[in-house]
Amino acid sequence: MKTLMTVVALLMLTSAAHALPVHYYGEISGSGEYSGTVTSADAWVNPPFGLNQNSQQINLWGLNASAGQTLSLAVNGLDGLVGGFSLYRGEITHNNLLFNVFDNDGDVGDASYLTGTTTFGVDSSLSDILLSDDGFYTLAVGGKSFGFGTEYDYTLDVAMTSVPEASPLFLMATGLMGIVALRRRQNKREQKALTA
């Protein structure tokens, strides 16, 4: 019975992780450098109808995060691209893009806007973004310059801090100290009862 409960708990935990939607460009699985290509220099600023349907006018990156993690992001453009990005809690669906409801600084469908770079500024980085909830997050990356190329490469530098976990040794020591304290209290009560 105990084994069955363990298996059920593990299945519930793995099913809680959000699978990456097909229309997403890639998955951010931790700190590191990620590469992408967009086919528009300004789709993040001024999304056209049918955004992301036939080409990668913006890139959607997905990440599963835990409450308490912090995230730092920087988009480094190549080929003269000035990159912009927006971070959302939740998924931006295929239909959100099809019906042109993308917004670089507001909610998109059920995805709640958290933060992003400014529309026409030269900033392409943000530091120490606190992820306050467990779950799936979407990062939308695109161009906010007005180039004339067909493809724009960029790199995405990501730094994620993990939520500190208590070490098993610390938990075991705390449990043992609690047992010792309870045992001492019980011994004192027994001694009082005998002397009374």
Side-chain angles (χ1 to χ4, degrees), residues 29-114:
S29 54
S31 296
E33 185 177 276
Y34 299 85
S35 297
T37 302
V38 289
T39 59
S40 170
D42 65 344
W44 181 83
V45 175
N46 183 26
F49 180 78
L51 183 66
N52 234 37
Q53 295 306 300
N54 300 316
S55 60
Q56 293 294 332
Q57 295 168 343
I58 62 167
N59 293 161
L60 299 180
W61 294 85
L63 64 133
N64 288 296
S66 300
Q69 284 186 296
T70 59
L71 182 64
S72 294
L73 302 162
V75 176
N76 302 307
L78 305 173
D79 304 326
L81 174 75
V82 177
F85 63 84
S86 302
L87 182 66
Y88 304 86
R89 168 80 171 86
E91 179 186 336
I92 295 177
T93 68
H94 190 265
N95 285 339
N96 294 150
L97 300 176
L98 179 64
F99 296 111
N100 196 25
V101 295
F102 176 74
D103 186 349
N104 64 21
D105 63 358
D107 295 351
V108 179
D110 292 334
S112 302
Y113 174 80
L114 299 177

Side-chain angles (χ1 to χ4, degrees), residues 166-185:
S167 72
L169 186 58
F170 173 76
L171 292 174
M172 188 169 63
T174 305
L176 286 174
M177 288 181 355
I179 291 171
V180 168
L182 287 174
R183 185 68 182 143
R184 283 186 181 172
R185 185 179 296 167

Side-chain angles (χ1 to χ4, degrees), residues 126-148:
L126 288 174
S127 298
D128 301 322
I129 304 162
L130 177 65
L131 306 177
S132 56
D133 298 308
D134 290 339
F136 188 74
Y137 290 80
T138 298
L139 178 68
V141 178
K144 56 178 181 175
S145 57
F146 297 95
F148 298 100

